[in-house]
Structures are given as C-alpha cells and as structure tokens.
Tab-separated table of all heavy atoms in Angstrom:
chain	number	residue	atom	x	y	z
A	1	LYS	N	98.425	88.755	104.912
A	1	LYS	CA	98.481	89.416	106.135
A	1	LYS	C	98.261	90.972	105.997
A	1	LYS	O	97.518	91.628	106.776
A	1	LYS	CB	99.882	89.317	106.841
A	1	LYS	CG	100.034	89.694	108.211
A	1	LYS	CD	101.347	89.526	108.864
A	1	LYS	CE	101.527	87.966	109.143
A	1	LYS	NZ	102.793	87.705	109.814
A	2	ASN	N	98.802	91.484	104.969
A	2	ASN	CA	98.678	92.983	104.631
A	2	ASN	C	97.241	93.314	104.202
A	2	ASN	O	96.678	94.229	104.725
A	2	ASN	CB	99.627	93.291	103.546
A	2	ASN	CG	101.212	93.360	103.968
A	2	ASN	OD1	101.401	93.278	104.966
A	2	ASN	ND2	101.997	93.295	102.927
A	3	LEU	N	96.690	92.371	103.466
A	3	LEU	CA	95.306	92.576	103.092
A	3	LEU	C	94.346	92.498	104.220
A	3	LEU	O	93.483	93.357	104.392
A	3	LEU	CB	94.892	91.545	101.893
A	3	LEU	CG	93.479	91.599	101.337
A	3	LEU	CD1	93.236	92.947	100.669
A	3	LEU	CD2	93.175	90.477	100.380
A	4	MET	N	94.609	91.625	104.999
A	4	MET	CA	93.743	91.365	106.211
A	4	MET	C	93.781	92.683	107.123
A	4	MET	O	92.711	93.167	107.531
A	4	MET	CB	94.120	90.192	107.104
A	4	MET	CG	93.366	89.782	108.320
A	4	MET	SD	91.804	89.084	107.839
A	4	MET	CE	91.326	88.332	109.322
A	5	LYS	N	95.068	93.211	107.363
A	5	LYS	CA	95.011	94.403	108.139
A	5	LYS	C	94.393	95.570	107.531
A	5	LYS	O	93.729	96.366	108.183
A	5	LYS	CB	96.703	94.671	108.325
A	5	LYS	CG	97.420	93.969	109.290
A	5	LYS	CD	98.841	94.434	109.287
A	5	LYS	CE	99.615	93.552	110.390
A	5	LYS	NZ	101.043	94.090	110.267
A	6	ALA	N	94.579	95.783	106.199
A	6	ALA	CA	93.883	96.850	105.478
A	6	ALA	C	92.361	96.691	105.446
A	6	ALA	O	91.656	97.773	105.742
A	6	ALA	CB	94.379	96.801	104.001
A	7	LEU	N	91.876	95.544	105.445
A	7	LEU	CA	90.380	95.336	105.451
A	7	LEU	C	89.736	95.530	106.861
A	7	LEU	O	88.699	96.167	106.910
A	7	LEU	CB	90.008	93.883	105.078
A	7	LEU	CG	90.191	93.640	103.524
A	7	LEU	CD1	90.058	92.056	103.201
A	7	LEU	CD2	89.185	94.400	102.616
A	8	MET	N	90.525	95.226	107.882
A	8	MET	CA	90.124	95.519	109.278
A	8	MET	C	89.860	96.982	109.496
A	8	MET	O	89.077	97.390	110.342
A	8	MET	CB	91.168	94.853	110.243
A	8	MET	CG	91.089	93.286	110.346
A	8	MET	SD	92.373	92.633	111.338
A	8	MET	CE	91.899	93.161	112.874
A	9	ARG	N	90.794	97.861	108.837
A	9	ARG	CA	90.831	99.229	109.193
A	9	ARG	C	89.954	100.120	108.145
A	9	ARG	O	89.629	101.248	108.387
A	9	ARG	CB	92.237	99.825	109.056
A	9	ARG	CG	93.042	99.195	110.221
A	9	ARG	CD	94.510	99.513	109.948
A	9	ARG	NE	95.354	98.867	110.963
A	9	ARG	CZ	96.763	98.946	111.009
A	9	ARG	NH1	97.376	99.480	109.973
A	9	ARG	NH2	97.432	98.221	111.909
A	10	CYS	N	89.573	99.465	106.987
A	10	CYS	CA	88.992	100.271	105.982
A	10	CYS	C	87.421	100.598	106.242
A	10	CYS	O	86.845	99.930	106.925
A	10	CYS	CB	89.241	99.497	104.587
A	10	CYS	SG	88.075	98.216	104.351
A	11	ASP	N	86.943	101.549	105.475
A	11	ASP	CA	85.568	101.938	105.577
A	11	ASP	C	84.853	101.373	104.291
A	11	ASP	O	83.637	101.245	104.286
A	11	ASP	CB	85.384	103.446	105.706
A	11	ASP	CG	86.021	103.981	107.001
A	11	ASP	OD1	85.634	103.682	108.107
A	11	ASP	OD2	87.130	104.800	106.740
A	12	VAL	N	85.672	101.538	103.159
A	12	VAL	CA	85.151	100.968	101.985
A	12	VAL	C	86.141	100.014	101.301
A	12	VAL	O	87.309	100.319	101.266
A	12	VAL	CB	84.945	102.139	100.924
A	12	VAL	CG1	84.481	101.645	99.586
A	12	VAL	CG2	83.973	103.075	101.500
A	13	ALA	N	85.615	98.844	100.836
A	13	ALA	CA	86.507	97.871	99.985
A	13	ALA	C	85.891	97.761	98.626
A	13	ALA	O	84.710	97.424	98.505
A	13	ALA	CB	86.623	96.545	100.769
A	14	VAL	N	86.692	97.918	97.537
A	14	VAL	CA	86.209	97.846	96.233
A	14	VAL	C	86.806	96.687	95.586
A	14	VAL	O	88.146	96.527	95.562
A	14	VAL	CB	86.524	99.162	95.398
A	14	VAL	CG1	86.116	98.855	93.943
A	14	VAL	CG2	85.943	100.204	95.906
A	15	GLY	N	85.996	95.711	95.077
A	15	GLY	CA	86.610	94.571	94.369
A	15	GLY	C	86.525	94.747	92.866
A	15	GLY	O	85.463	94.963	92.201
A	16	ALA	N	87.731	94.769	92.235
A	16	ALA	CA	87.831	95.214	90.841
A	16	ALA	C	88.784	94.254	90.121
A	16	ALA	O	89.725	94.618	89.344
A	16	ALA	CB	88.283	96.548	90.684
A	17	THR	N	88.590	92.789	90.287
A	17	THR	CA	89.409	91.873	89.664
A	17	THR	C	88.604	91.130	88.648
A	17	THR	O	87.375	91.099	88.663
A	17	THR	CB	90.112	90.945	90.659
A	17	THR	OG1	89.005	90.211	91.239
A	17	THR	CG2	90.913	91.728	91.785
A	18	LYS	N	89.279	90.413	87.716
A	18	LYS	CA	88.757	89.660	86.795
A	18	LYS	C	89.633	88.402	86.460
A	18	LYS	O	90.836	88.421	86.804
A	18	LYS	CB	88.394	90.293	85.437
A	18	LYS	CG	89.659	90.807	84.625
A	18	LYS	CD	89.243	91.440	83.409
A	18	LYS	CE	90.460	91.991	82.668
A	18	LYS	NZ	90.173	92.673	81.307
A	19	GLY	N	88.991	87.340	86.069
A	19	GLY	CA	89.681	86.136	85.723
A	19	GLY	C	89.378	85.566	84.463
A	19	GLY	O	88.681	86.287	83.634
A	20	LYS	N	89.884	84.456	84.034
A	20	LYS	CA	89.587	83.998	82.685
A	20	LYS	C	88.211	83.559	82.582
A	20	LYS	O	87.467	84.033	81.604
A	20	LYS	CB	90.490	82.783	82.362
A	20	LYS	CG	90.471	82.252	80.987
A	20	LYS	CD	91.538	81.232	80.752
A	20	LYS	CE	91.542	80.842	79.269
A	20	LYS	NZ	92.481	79.762	79.000
A	21	ASN	N	87.645	82.705	83.396
A	21	ASN	CA	86.265	82.196	83.493
A	21	ASN	C	85.375	82.832	84.509
A	21	ASN	O	84.192	83.195	84.221
A	21	ASN	CB	86.156	80.771	83.555
A	21	ASN	CG	86.796	80.016	82.331
A	21	ASN	OD1	86.447	80.518	81.148
A	21	ASN	ND2	87.502	78.953	82.505
A	22	ARG	N	86.058	83.156	85.681
A	22	ARG	CA	85.382	83.851	86.786
A	22	ARG	C	86.378	84.629	87.625
A	22	ARG	O	87.499	84.357	87.473
A	22	ARG	CB	84.428	82.969	87.651
A	22	ARG	CG	85.326	82.384	88.761
A	22	ARG	CD	84.448	81.580	89.713
A	22	ARG	NE	83.458	82.236	90.419
A	22	ARG	CZ	83.427	83.083	91.346
A	22	ARG	NH1	84.619	83.511	91.809
A	22	ARG	NH2	82.368	83.516	91.805
A	23	SER	N	85.864	85.621	88.291
A	23	SER	CA	86.871	86.346	89.190
A	23	SER	C	87.357	85.397	90.280
A	23	SER	O	86.625	84.711	90.892
A	23	SER	CB	86.037	87.521	89.777
A	23	SER	OG	85.860	88.417	88.725
A	24	PRO	N	88.619	85.506	90.635
A	24	PRO	CA	89.112	84.723	91.747
A	24	PRO	C	88.602	85.291	93.114
A	24	PRO	O	88.526	86.428	93.266
A	24	PRO	CB	90.659	84.811	91.730
A	24	PRO	CG	90.943	86.151	91.000
A	24	PRO	CD	89.646	86.307	89.976
A	25	ILE	N	88.232	84.407	94.019
A	25	ILE	CA	87.841	84.910	95.355
A	25	ILE	C	89.029	85.158	96.167
A	25	ILE	O	89.863	84.349	96.511
A	25	ILE	CB	87.011	83.791	96.067
A	25	ILE	CG1	85.635	83.668	95.311
A	25	ILE	CG2	86.700	84.203	97.483
A	25	ILE	CD1	84.811	82.429	95.835
A	26	LEU	N	89.236	86.452	96.397
A	26	LEU	CA	90.484	86.911	97.076
A	26	LEU	C	90.242	87.358	98.484
A	26	LEU	O	91.163	87.412	99.279
A	26	LEU	CB	91.031	88.146	96.317
A	26	LEU	CG	91.497	87.929	94.793
A	26	LEU	CD1	91.903	89.092	94.183
A	26	LEU	CD2	92.566	86.882	94.801
A	27	VAL	N	88.943	87.473	98.858
A	27	VAL	CA	88.693	87.887	100.291
A	27	VAL	C	87.603	86.860	100.773
A	27	VAL	O	86.455	86.789	100.248
A	27	VAL	CB	87.936	89.373	100.355
A	27	VAL	CG1	87.544	89.615	101.697
A	27	VAL	CG2	88.880	90.325	99.722
A	28	ASN	N	87.969	85.981	101.735
A	28	ASN	CA	87.103	85.031	102.230
A	28	ASN	C	86.172	85.480	103.338
A	28	ASN	O	86.320	86.656	103.761
A	28	ASN	CB	87.922	83.724	102.760
A	28	ASN	CG	88.976	84.117	103.793
A	28	ASN	OD1	88.626	84.941	104.647
A	28	ASN	ND2	90.086	83.569	103.883
C-alpha cells in the first residue's frame, strides 16, 4: 500500500535490488 502510494506520486523510480539468481519483481 505504501509503495503503491509513493509510485503514484513520484516523478522518478529507481530499482536497485538484487537477488540470489535474479532480482525479485517488486513492482508489478
């Protein structure tokens, strides 16, 4: 819910995550 609100209002979103084999999809 918090992430959704922040993305709706933002001008720039930076994806900076990593996983063991691939990065998890956190924004659908």
Side-chain angles (χ1 to χ4, degrees):
K1 189 179 287 186
N2 292 343
L3 180 59
M4 184 77 163
K5 282 182 182 178
L7 289 171
M8 289 173 67
R9 296 170 182 169
C10 78
D11 302 294
V12 176
V14 177
T17 62
K18 62 180 182 179
K20 190 173 182 181
N21 293 322
R22 86 170 309 283
S23 296
I25 294 176
L26 300 173
V27 180
N28 59 34

